[in-house]
Amino acid sequence: MTIKIIAVIFLGIASGLAVGAGFVAFLTVLGIIPRLTQLTKTMKMIRYYEWSVVLGVISGSAATLWDIAFAFPPWLLIPLGASSGIFVGMLAAALTEVLNVLPILAKRIGIDGQIVILLMALVFGKIAGSLYQWFYFIGK
């Protein structure tokens, strides 16, 4: 029994370190925070961006470990959801910008001049997937 507990603790710590290192490498290699400050012309506030990422990771980890549940009023959920969607969208846009994923994909599937169609397919796919998840899991 003790060996199982030690193995679970070791596996949890190792997994957490691997995911954390991957996340930090992802942000560092892509240069998400400097690029975001450059696009928004807020270079003076780069420390606030960095600390918001750190505090977000810490609070997300704490909420996951301790199963924290928040009871927000419905009117507050709209800006929180919009902010989360904006964050995910900006992260995906930064990834595709750095790696030039869309032009390479468009060239591979043979729609070089119609990259807007590819982009709209990705957008509508994301919307459809999000709506499916929302409607399917809303009652559970």
Side-chain angles (χ1 to χ4, degrees), residues 51-96:
W51 275 106
S52 67
V53 170
V54 169
L55 293 174
V57 168
I58 290 171
S59 61
S61 299
T64 302
L65 288 174
W66 292 313
D67 198 22
I68 297 172
F70 298 105
F72 292 120
W75 57 269
L76 187 60
L77 294 178
I78 293 172
L80 286 175
S83 299
S84 299
I86 290 169
F87 172 76
V88 170
M90 289 178 74
L91 196 61
L95 180 61
T96 57

Side-chain angles (χ1 to χ4, degrees), residues 6 20 23 36 75-77 85 101 108 117 131 137:
I6 292 172
F23 182 70
L36 182 61
W75 57 269
L76 187 60
L77 294 178
V101 171
R108 299 257 178 179
I117 294 172
L131 288 174
F137 291 110

Side-chain angles (χ1 to χ4, degrees), residues 8-23:
V8 168
I9 290 171
F10 175 76
L11 190 64
I13 291 172
S15 300
L17 287 173
V19 170
F23 182 70

Side-chain angles (χ1 to χ4, degrees), residues 104-112 118:
I104 293 170
L105 180 63
K107 191 177 285 188
R108 299 257 178 179
I109 61 176
I111 57 169
D112 291 344
L118 177 63

